[in-house]
Amino acid sequence: MTIVVTGGAGFIGGHLCRRLVGEGHQVVAIDNFDPFYPRAMKEEGIEDLPREQFTLVEADVCNTGTVLQALHGRSVDAIVHLAAKAGVRPSIETPRAYQRVNVGGTQSMIEVAERLEVGAFLFGSSSSVYGNSDTFPFSEEDSVGRPISPYAATKRSGELLAHTFHHLRGATVHCLRFFTVYGPWQRPDLAIHKFARQLLTGQPITMYGDGTTSRDYTYVDDIASGLMKSLRRATSLEAPEYEIINLGGSETTQLKDLISGIAGAMGIEPDVKRLPEQPGDLERTCADISKARALLEYEPETSIEEGLHSFAEWVTTYYEDRPVLEV
Ligand code: NAD
C-alpha cells in the first residue's frame, strides 16, 4: 500500500514510518520541520529509512496545493495525519498558531484526501480532549465539550472536521486519542525527556505541583502497533466507519513515581524542585482501552518500568556525543 504520514519526521510519525517500511509499504512523509524542536533530531530519527520505500516531502500541511503537487501521480491508500503543533503549555501562549496548523492543516489534509479519493483517514488526536473529566477512566463515550487548553480545543475540532469528511464522502475515519507517549526520540518538551536532560546535566528536576498528578503513559511502540492495526482495519472494511479510539498504556503513574522511575533507570539520584501547577495541564489521565481491544485487538505490551529503561538507554547514548538540549 501507499501511505501518507503527515508529521512523518516527528516522534510518533518517525516510529510509524519505520513500521510501515518494515512491513513493505510505500511511505510518503510530509513534514515542514516546525522549529518547536531541532530539525537535526527529526532527521536523525528517519535518516536510515530506505529511499526506495520512503519519500520525505518538506511541506506545510496547510498548503493544500503543494501537498497535492507532491502526491501527483500516486495512488494513496490511506493518510495518517499526525502533523500538528503539539504541547499544551505553548498553546496558551500562541493559540492562533495552533489553530492554523491543527484546525486549518487538518481541513487542508481532508481536502487532499477528497481530491485523491483516499478511503481511509487516521487522525492523531489526544487525551487532552477529555479536560478535567470527572468520570474515570476516560471513555470515548464521555462528553468532551469542555477543553481546558487551546491545544485540546484544536484536537477536538480536528475530530469534528474528520467526521464531516466521513459523513459527506463515505471515507473511513479513525480518530486515535493518544495518551502521553514516550520512548526513544521523544519530543524534548515532554516531561520524561526534560527530566532526563536535567539529570544528565546535574540540574534539579522541576516538578509542577506536589507530584500526585497522574498520567497514563504509553510506550511509542504500542502506539505504533495501535496505528498499524487501525490502518489495517480502515483499509480493509467494506462499509465506511467513523470511530474515536483511545490508545493508552492502561496503567497510571504519579508524577513523583515517574521521577524516581526515570532517575532509577538512569542511575542518577534526583534533586527535585517543586514549582506551582501549570494552567492547562490535566490533573490525571487514564484510558479506557476496551474499545481499542475490541475493534483493533490493541494490547499495550510495554510496562512503565521497561519503557523507562529503554528510554534511559536511548537518551544516554543520544547525548553521549551531542550537546544536551537546554531545558
Ligand atoms: P512531533 O512534534 O514530534 O511531531 C509532529 C510533526 O509535525 C513534527 O515533525 C513537525 O515538524 C510536524 N509539523 C508541525 N506543523 C506542521 C505543518 N504545518 N506542516 C507539516 N508538518 C508539520 O509530535 P509527536 O509527539 O510525534 O505528535 C504527533 C501527533 O500526535 C500530534 O498530532 C500530536 O498532537 C499527537 N499527540 C501526541 C502525544 C504525545 O504524547 N507525544 C499525545 C497525544 C497526541
Side-chain angles (χ1 to χ4, degrees):
M1 290 197 294
T2 298
I3 314 292
V4 169
V5 181
T6 71
F11 163 46
I12 298 173
H15 281 275
L16 176 66
C17 290
R18 185 169 303 279
R19 288 285 276 273
L20 287 165
V21 163
E23 292 202 6
H25 300 295
Q26 285 292 322
V27 179
V28 183
I30 299 173
D31 204 297
N32 73 342
F33 292 95
D34 182 279
F36 186 44
Y37 67 94
R39 178 184 184 110
M41 183 175 275
K42 298 180 189 179
E43 286 176 334
E44 284 160 343
I46 51 170
E47 67 190 358
D48 60 325
L49 295 181
R51 298 299 143 189
E52 318 81 74
Q53 272 178 274
F54 179 74
T55 309
L56 174 64
V57 175
E58 186 165 347
D60 187 330
V61 289
C62 300
N63 197 336
T64 321
T66 311
V67 175
L68 279 169
Q69 213 170 9
L71 297 174
H72 182 73
R74 288 190 188 256
S75 165
V76 176
D77 297 282
I79 293 178
V80 186
H81 179 46
L82 300 175
K85 279 207 162 290
V88 168
R89 291 171 200 160
S91 79
I92 299 170
E93 305 304 317
T94 57
R96 284 196 203 185
Y98 277 67
Q99 206 259 347
R100 186 187 82 85
V101 175
N102 298 4
V103 183
T106 300
Q107 184 58 49
S108 169
M109 287 310 301
I110 286 172
E111 281 167 34
V112 168
E114 282 175 3
R115 287 281 291 278
L116 300 181
E117 296 180 358
V118 179
F121 190 89
L122 273 52
F123 174 62
S125 189
S126 163
S127 58
S128 64
V129 300
Y130 289 108
N132 277 330
S133 166
D134 44 18
T135 48
F136 215 62
F138 296 162
S139 150
E140 295 88 346
E141 301 300 315
D142 294 351
S143 132
V144 286
R146 293 174 183 271
I148 62 166
S149 69
Y151 169 72
T154 63
K155 284 287 158 185
R156 180 63 185 139
S157 305
E159 295 181 346
L160 298 173
L161 292 173
H163 184 268
T164 63
F165 170 53
H166 157 74
H167 177 76
L168 296 172
R169 305 288 168 168
T172 283
V173 170
H174 287 174
C175 298
L176 290 321
R177 290 181 178 162
F178 307 146
F179 283 66
T180 319
V181 190
Y182 73 103
W185 306 103
Q186 191 195 33
R187 269 179 19 227
D189 62 300
L190 290 170
I192 299 176
H193 195 159
K194 227 174 79 178
F195 295 158
R197 300 202 307 287
Q198 288 172 325
L199 287 163
L200 283 173
T201 53
Q203 297 174 67
I205 287 194
T206 44
M207 180 176 81
Y208 296 109
D210 65 359
T212 58
T213 54
S214 60
R215 291 276 173 283
D216 187 332
Y217 292 98
T218 320
Y219 193 63
V220 67
D221 284 352
D222 288 325
I223 291 290
S225 300
L227 282 165
M228 294 298 291
K229 285 168 191 254
S230 157
L231 256 179
R232 233 164 273 144
R233 179 178 169 94
T235 51
S236 62
L237 286 173
E238 296 278 309
E241 67 179 14
Y242 174 87
E243 296 293 351
I244 292 178
I245 308 168
N246 286 342
L247 291 183
S250 92
E251 51 175 335
T252 50
T253 307
Q254 286 199 341
L255 185 56
K256 54 181 167 34
D257 298 330
L258 179 82
I259 291 173
S260 48
I262 184 67
M266 293 174 68
I268 302 173
E269 191 60 41
D271 166 22
V272 180
K273 182 173 151 197
R274 196 177 147 178
L275 295 174
E277 266 169 35
Q278 295 285 294
D281 280 3
L282 304 190
E283 281 155 26
R284 53 182 187 165
T285 68
C286 178
D288 176 346
I289 56 167
S290 48
K291 185 169 177 183
R293 282 193 171 114
L295 276 189
L296 307 178
E297 295 177 12
Y298 167 78
E299 198 56 62
E301 287 175 355
T302 314
S303 69
I304 187 80
E305 291 78 18
E306 290 167 320
L308 287 177
H309 271 98
S310 308
F311 178 78
E313 225 171 81
W314 172 79
V315 84
T316 312
T317 316
Y318 185 76
Y319 289 116
E320 234 164 40
D321 51 3
R322 292 174 186 82
V324 178
L325 288 175
E326 256 182 57
V327 182

